[in-house]
Amino acid sequence: MDWADIGTLAALLAAGALLSGFLAGLLGIGGGAVTVPVLYQVLTTLDVASGVRMQVAVGTSLALIIPTSIRSLRAHMARGAVDMALLKQWLIAVPLGAILGGAIANLLPSDVLAAIFAAIALVLGLRMLIGKLPFVLGSDLPGHVGRTVAGLLIGGLSAIMGIGGGVLNNTFMTLYGRPMHQAVATSAGVGVLIAIPGVVPFIIGGWGHLDLPPLSLGNVSLAALAILIPMSMPTVKLGATLAHRLTRRQLEVGFGLFLLTVALRFMVSAF
């Protein structure tokens, strides 16, 4: 690989980081749905072993979500839009789900994990295209048991995909009558609860693996983070600001189409 190839890969990572940070602030989604496929493509180009490729992409994405979600949460908290009561109720359920999801992801073959990512991306892409659902399940969030189950599922599925859980949480909250802006703002906090514990199984699960790319901490690429973190942070606040000023419907459609494209890409590569 020559310097031109390295420059192209670095530019691809930087572009993915900018978009990831913007979406983290705008939709409260953590940006993992962008970061994972970008990282996977970069790792494929670098000829990283297929057996660890998807785990490294997901683990690194979760590590990136930690700073972007914290920055996004602070921006939304400044506007008073975060449901702090719900986040406090999820202090155990969401992290526990994330740890379990991360552990499961490390036990799965890389191609199976990629297939699961594609399937969930397909569902989430369709969800984004549909937009506001034409029905609700209740006038307010369910009780303690219902919220706990929801928190476990959101944390688990998000850790398996390497995402911040925003699309899942936005769907959950709006189905129970909560305004979308509050759901988006609260999703930033959900991303923090998922990413911090969720990344631990990826570090432990990949520890000492011989096929990992250089400068890796288990299944987390420190080299990729060195590019992704500084490039993603400036656009988080911009996304959070636009979330409170503009309609997001066109962006939801665009992101939904992106997710469907990603799902198709992973499905095609599997056959």
Side-chain angles (χ1 to χ4, degrees):
M1 179 177 294
D2 57 27
W3 285 107
D5 293 328
I6 295 175
T8 299
L9 293 176
L12 182 61
L13 279 177
L18 290 170
L19 181 57
S20 176
F22 179 73
L23 292 173
L26 183 70
L27 299 173
I29 64 170
V34 175
T35 309
V36 170
V38 169
L39 280 170
Y40 185 84
Q41 187 59 52
V42 169
L43 293 170
T44 300
T45 304
L46 292 175
D47 202 26
V48 172
S50 60
V52 299
R53 198 177 295 161
M54 193 64 186
Q55 278 80 0
V56 173
V58 173
T60 305
S61 174
L62 283 172
L64 174 65
I65 289 171
I66 296 174
T68 57
S69 290
I70 291 174
R71 184 169 177 82
S72 178
L73 177 62
R74 291 178 62 185
H76 286 293
M77 285 180 66
R79 295 176 177 273
V82 180
D83 186 344
M84 295 302 298
L86 179 60
L87 290 181
K88 290 178 181 178
Q89 291 178 333
W90 274 352
L91 282 176
I92 295 177
V94 171
L96 178 59
I99 291 172
L100 293 174
I104 291 172
N106 276 281
L107 293 174
L108 295 172
S110 189
D111 56 344
V112 174
L113 184 58
I116 293 175
F117 182 96
I120 300 177
L122 177 64
V123 173
L124 295 183
L126 292 173
R127 163 68 186 89
M128 296 295 282
L129 289 179
I130 292 171
K132 184 178 181 180
L133 297 175
F135 60 90
V136 294
L137 298 180
S139 58
D140 200 1
L141 299 178
H144 180 72
V145 174
R147 296 185 192 195
T148 299
V149 172
L152 286 168
L153 289 174
I154 290 171
L157 290 174
S158 299
I160 288 174
M161 282 192 73
I163 63 176
V167 178
L168 297 173
N169 181 64
N170 291 349
T171 301
F172 170 69
M173 292 184 69
T174 54
L175 278 175
Y176 284 95
R178 292 299 182 88
M180 178 58 81
H181 282 90
Q182 184 187 59
V184 168
T186 306
S187 289
V190 173
V192 178
L193 295 180
I194 290 170
I196 294 177
V199 76
V200 174
F202 286 91
I203 295 175
I204 296 174
W207 197 266
H209 204 293
L210 299 179
D211 292 330
L212 294 172
L215 299 176
S216 292
L217 184 64
N219 285 324
V220 175
S221 172
L222 300 180
L225 287 177
I227 297 175
L228 292 169
I229 291 178
M231 292 300 296
S232 63
M233 297 303 285
T235 56
V236 174
K237 188 173 182 180
L238 174 60
T241 300
L242 289 177
H244 292 272
R245 292 183 180 180
L246 302 176
T247 174
R248 299 186 337 279
R249 183 59 193 139
Q250 289 182 325
L251 288 164
E252 283 180 337
V253 171
F255 187 59
L257 291 173
F258 171 80
L259 285 175
L260 294 181
T261 302
V262 168
L264 180 62
R265 163 71 177 81
F266 276 103
M267 290 176 182
V268 169
S269 65
F271 296 99

